[in-house]
């Protein structure tokens, strides 16, 4: 299936989810999304950054310059407790949306 | 919340690209291709930076500011085009503003009297005898009209001939223009004095002490606006008149420059004058009465008088005309034509500027393509172009306002005496706003210039306009 463009709100959900298991830098987040979706969801890496900034403004994530184990300086992003709660809320909303879509699509 | 600077983001993006390039190299690309691949995967760096910067800020305002700055730069870089466009607009807008202001002051401004819609002017109508429609009234007719009507609250007369009053005994002798009026004139018009009181019917009795009301202009210029003047006497034509009040400066009935009003005090011989047509008549309709009803009423009165005095009044009618319509009529048609003409001028100006913009757009194709490549959507580009036009229109409007002031002065001079202006006439501020919007800009030029207007009646027999003047406080 050709890669689809992501709608803005969903990108943020993906980012939050990606950061659930730990801190990552922007590049890492992009790669993670691509990999785990089997390359179905391909983001223009650049589009992550406005989303990251937005999430940071809403205090769902924080960021800090850190040195990776490879000796490189990267800005690392982490979920905040508020962010975790938001993730749960967004996930359930997404599930609801999917179910509703399914119902409509399956209706005769 | 961490405040991130642009260079911080640039650093982050740089690190991102390097990391991606590294991975590309690891999968087999050479360094140069890897870097390209990394950029491609990233997308537009400029766009990213802009987007991040825009997060949390109100986009429309931000965009507008940016667009405005850019528009200004573009215009400065093309001075020839900018000048031509702005001057064209200035011309169109200026001319329109001037004429609009003129029309507004002449035709639309309400009269400075109480309840001015109820004021009418009455004429003797000679059309029944093959004569003119609007003739001044004779004293006897006027008195009959006043007595026999049923639709008027009051009727007053002004002697159509201005008197010259020689002011003596208070410094330099001076020649003043004055009017003889019936004592109820100020009451009928609903004019409030600036000091003291206005004339009242009591002042109008033949046996009454001579009283006078002076203009504000005279009061200030000659008597230093001294309140103690009220109640004192002045010597006019060697008769002592008691000054009972001062009327506002805008009141210039019946002619511009009237400084004194004295009671007409008709004697018995004047009252019986039925064929001396010398009076201008002003009336106030009763509340709720229309001009048509009053006209019908007066038609009846005229008929009755004609029956009683067939020798003098046979087939003589009365014409009732609303005051505001009265003195605009000679000029109304001309103004409408003028309005249409400048409207067309504005249209032509707009078309010209549109043409210029169109001509430029073909030159700008490269620039627009570049903007598109950088990530500007069509809506954004359109907004940018619109902002440029708005900027042009705004500057044009400002220039137009300046030009309109000049134009207004010249136009004012061209107006015939029947409807004339005073020297310090200005441009109605909100008119410039109307034209700014017309051109697609929402510039508002707020200038607190006062608008004054004056009217003057024509000499003796046929009075086609009753005069008054209005000026705003400085």
């Amino acid at each position: 299936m050709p890669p689809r463009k992501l709608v803005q709100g969903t990108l943020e959900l993906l980012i939050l989810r990606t950061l659930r298991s730990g801190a990552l830098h922007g590049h890492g987040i992009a790669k993670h999304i691509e990999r785990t979706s089997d390359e179905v969801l391909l983001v223009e890496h650049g589009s992550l950054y406005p989303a990251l900034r937005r999430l940071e403004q809403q205090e769902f994530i924080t960021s800090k310059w850190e040195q990776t184990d490879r000796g490189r300086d990267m800005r690392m992003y982490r979920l905040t407790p508020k962010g975790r709660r938001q993730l749960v809320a967004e996930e359930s909303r997404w599930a609801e949306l999917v179910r509703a879509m399914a119902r409509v699509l399956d209706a005769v | 919340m961490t405040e991130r600077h642009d260079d911080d983001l640039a650093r982050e993006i740089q690190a991102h690209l390097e990391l991606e390039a590294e991975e590309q190299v690891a999968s087999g690309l050479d360094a140069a291709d890897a870097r390209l691949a990394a950029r491609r995967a990233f997308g537009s760096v400029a766009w990213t930076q802009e987007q991040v910067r825009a997060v949390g800020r109100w986009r429309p305002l931000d965009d507008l500011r940016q667009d405005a700055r850019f528009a200004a730069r573009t215009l400065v870089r093309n001075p020839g085009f900018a000048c031509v466009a702005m001057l064209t607009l200035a011309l169109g807008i200026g001319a329109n503003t001037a004429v609009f202001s003129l029309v507004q002051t002449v035709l639309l401004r309400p009269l400075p009297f109480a309840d001015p819609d109820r004021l009418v002017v009455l004429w003797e109508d000679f059309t029944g005898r093959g004569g003119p429609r609007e003739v001044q009234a004779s004293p006897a007719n006027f008195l009959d009209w006043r007595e026999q009507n049923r639709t008027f609250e009051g009727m007053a007369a002004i002697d159509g001939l201005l008197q010259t009053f020689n002011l003596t005994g208070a410094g330099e002798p001076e020649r003043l223009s004055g009017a003889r009026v019936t004592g109820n004139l100020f009451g009928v018009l609903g004019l409030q004095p600036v000091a003291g009181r206005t004339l009242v019917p009591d002042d109008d009795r033949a046996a009454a002490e001579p009283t006078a009301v002076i203009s504000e202009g005279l009061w200030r210029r000659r008597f230093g606006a001294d309140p103690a003047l009220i109640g004192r006497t002045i010597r006019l034509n060697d008769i002592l008149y008691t000054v009972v009040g001062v009327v506002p400066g805008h009141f210039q009935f019946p002619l511009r420059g009237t400084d004194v009003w004295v009671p007409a005090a008709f004697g018995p011989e004047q009252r019986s004058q039925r064929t001396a047509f010398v009076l201008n008549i002003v009336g106030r309709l009763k509340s709720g009465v229309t001009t048509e009803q009053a006209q019908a009423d007066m038609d009846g009165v005229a008929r009755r008088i004609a029956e009683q005095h067939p020798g003098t009044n046979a087939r003589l009618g009365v014409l009732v005309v609303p005051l505001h319509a009265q003195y605009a009529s000679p000029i109304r048609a001309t103004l409408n034509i003028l309005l249409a003409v400048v409207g067309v001028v504005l249209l032509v100006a707009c078309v010209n500027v549109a043409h210029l913009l169109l001509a430029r757009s073909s030159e700008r194709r490269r620039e627009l393509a570049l903007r598109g490549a950088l990530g500007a959507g069509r809506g954004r580009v359109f907004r940018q172009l619109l902002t440029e036009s708005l900027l042009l229109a705004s500057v044009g409007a400002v220039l137009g306002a300046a030009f309109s002031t000049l134009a207004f002065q010249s136009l004012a001079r061209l107006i015939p005496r029947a409807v004339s202006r005073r020297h310090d006439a200005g441009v109605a501020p909100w008119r410039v706003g109307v034209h700014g919007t017309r051109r697609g800009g929402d510039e508002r030029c707020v200038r607190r210039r006062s608008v004054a207007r004056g009217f003057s009646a024509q000499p003796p027999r046929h009075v086609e306009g009753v005069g008054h003047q209005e000026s705003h406080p400085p």
Side-chain angles (χ1 to χ4, degrees):
Chain A
M1 201 158 68
R4 318 189 68 86
K5 263 198 126 145
L6 279 180
V7 185
Q8 194 186 53
T10 53
L11 180 58
E12 283 160 21
L13 174 56
L14 292 173
I15 293 173
L16 288 176
R17 178 62 197 237
T18 305
L19 291 175
R20 196 176 75 155
S21 10
L24 265 184
H25 45 68
H27 183 259
I29 298 172
K31 286 314 222 202
H32 182 266
I33 294 173
E34 282 174 7
R35 245 194 340 257
T36 45
S37 73
D38 276 333
E39 318 252 293
V40 172
L41 301 171
L42 281 176
V43 284
E44 255 187 2
H45 296 183
S47 64
L48 277 178
Y49 287 95
L52 285 167
R53 167 72 83 116
R54 230 178 324 247
L55 287 169
E56 213 175 348
Q57 258 192 1
Q58 294 170 297
E59 293 178 352
F60 295 145
I61 59 178
T62 56
S63 68
K64 208 159 56 142
W65 281 98
E66 290 171 17
Q67 210 178 57
T68 64
D69 21 356
R70 307 265 281 289
R72 195 184 226 111
D73 276 334
M74 304 285 287
R75 194 182 265 276
M76 307 296 285
Y77 294 87
R78 281 181 182 77
L79 269 187
T80 63
K82 194 169 169 190
R84 275 181 207 282
R85 287 196 294 275
Q86 178 72 8
L87 174 58
V88 171
E90 287 290 315
E91 275 178 324
S92 66
R93 210 173 321 152
W94 177 260
E96 208 179 294
L97 176 66
V98 168
R99 277 198 298 273
M101 291 276 305
R103 278 201 298 275
V104 175
L105 290 172
D106 287 342
V108 183
Chain B
M1 188 165 50
T2 41
E3 197 73 326
R4 234 180 275 178
H5 300 297
D6 288 344
D7 13 304
D8 190 272
L9 178 65
R11 204 175 126 210
E12 187 176 356
I13 294 176
Q14 185 60 30
H16 184 128
L17 289 170
E18 283 174 12
L19 194 49
E20 177 68 19
E22 249 177 46
E23 291 196 2
Q24 294 285 352
V25 165
S27 42
L29 273 66
D30 63 55
D33 287 336
R35 274 199 297 275
L36 268 166
R39 282 208 98 103
R40 222 176 299 129
F42 193 89
S44 163
V45 171
W47 183 89
T48 300
Q49 287 174 312
E50 220 185 272
Q51 290 300 306
V52 172
R53 229 178 282 143
V55 169
R57 291 154 80 168
W58 194 43
R59 284 280 302 279
L61 185 66
D62 235 30
D63 287 350
L64 188 66
R65 234 183 318 150
Q66 194 182 46
D67 288 343
R69 234 177 320 162
F70 207 85
R73 259 202 308 225
T74 313
L75 290 179
V76 167
R77 240 183 287 136
N78 293 279
F81 159 76
C83 277
V84 172
M86 287 191 260
L87 285 177
T88 312
L89 288 174
L91 202 70
I93 293 175
N96 267 277
T97 309
V99 174
F100 261 29
S101 301
L102 210 63
V103 172
Q104 184 203 31
T105 52
V106 173
L107 297 181
L108 301 179
R109 196 60 78 79
L111 307 168
F113 306 120
D115 225 346
D117 296 322
R118 281 163 51 194
L119 291 175
V120 297
V121 176
L122 289 95
W123 302 107
E124 305 257 25
D125 188 346
F126 273 72
T127 49
R129 296 196 199 169
R133 260 191 112 203
E134 295 178 351
V135 179
Q136 291 172 321
S138 65
N141 284 345
F142 159 65
L143 290 170
D144 280 339
W145 294 351
R146 196 163 68 170
E147 202 185 294
Q148 297 183 23
N149 81 83
R150 274 174 298 194
T151 46
F152 282 83
E153 202 175 271
M155 252 190 232
I158 309 120
D159 196 331
L161 268 165
L162 272 201
Q163 315 281 323
T164 312
F165 288 93
N166 286 311
L167 175 67
T168 52
E172 277 285 312
E174 190 179 334
R175 266 225 168 91
L176 302 174
S177 278
R180 293 189 187 282
V181 300
T182 53
N184 62 345
L185 173 69
F186 297 99
V188 165
L189 288 175
L191 190 69
Q192 295 300 314
V194 162
R197 63 170 177 84
T198 54
L199 295 177
V200 291
D202 239 14
D203 295 318
D204 207 7
R205 296 170 294 127
E209 289 286 317
T211 48
V213 156
I214 62 171
S215 71
E216 189 178 354
L218 177 66
W219 187 44
R220 286 186 193 283
R221 127 177 135 247
R222 190 71 193 221
F223 301 99
D226 183 10
L229 181 66
I230 313 295
R232 283 221 292 264
T233 57
I234 57 175
R235 189 177 282 274
L236 298 167
N237 292 349
D238 266 337
I239 303 173
L240 284 174
Y241 287 84
T242 311
V243 177
V244 295
V246 181
V247 289
H250 64 72
F251 185 69
Q252 308 254 325
F253 241 66
L255 278 180
R256 219 164 25 130
T258 311
D259 275 324
V260 184
W261 292 265
V262 297
F266 295 141
E269 132 187 326
Q270 277 171 303
R271 283 170 199 276
S272 56
Q273 277 276 13
R274 210 168 275 280
T275 49
F277 299 102
V278 293
L279 299 178
N280 297 330
I281 313 297
V282 168
R284 179 176 285 277
L285 300 172
K286 286 189 179 144
S287 178
V289 173
T290 65
T291 313
E292 292 74 31
Q293 290 169 326
Q295 179 69 64
D297 182 31
M298 296 312 293
D299 286 341
V301 170
R303 269 198 303 272
R304 280 198 293 278
I305 303 176
E307 280 164 24
Q308 286 168 347
H309 304 271
T312 52
N313 281 50
R315 285 166 288 124
L316 195 56
V318 180
L319 180 66
V320 179
V321 182
L323 187 58
H324 58 78
Q326 177 64 57
Y327 48 144
S329 47
I331 201 110
R332 196 183 284 263
T334 315
L335 283 180
N336 281 333
I337 293 175
L338 198 56
L339 211 57
V341 168
V342 289
V344 171
V345 168
L346 183 62
L347 202 64
V348 170
C350 292
V351 169
N352 270 319
V353 175
H355 222 121
L356 282 171
L357 287 171
L358 202 65
R360 285 221 326 138
S361 71
S362 48
E363 292 175 15
R364 300 181 66 183
R365 233 176 295 177
R366 263 186 58 192
E367 175 202 336
L368 297 178
L370 193 65
R371 294 210 199 169
L374 282 175
R378 275 178 50 186
R380 186 69 203 280
V381 172
F382 175 74
R383 275 204 322 269
Q384 283 169 331
L385 295 176
L386 188 64
T387 312
E388 275 179 38
S389 301
L390 284 177
L391 191 61
L392 265 181
S394 312
V395 179
V398 171
L399 291 175
F403 169 63
S404 71
T405 318
L406 297 169
F408 191 83
Q409 313 271 10
S410 340
L411 275 176
R413 249 170 292 222
L414 292 174
I415 293 186
R417 286 203 67 219
V419 177
S420 68
R421 308 245 87 70
R422 237 174 64 172
H423 305 297
D424 57 325
V427 167
W430 69 274
R431 290 293 166 187
V432 183
V434 168
H435 296 286
T437 351
R438 268 230 219 139
R439 183 58 191 89
D442 45 13
E443 261 307 284
R444 215 135 281 156
C445 216
V446 179
R447 288 163 79 227
R448 306 258 169 264
R449 294 282 283 271
S450 62
V451 184
R453 44 182 194 144
F455 299 81
S456 76
Q458 290 189 347
R461 287 186 56 231
H462 290 295
V463 180
E464 266 152 23
V466 199
H468 83 255
Q469 183 164 15
E470 172 193 66
S471 74
H472 292 248

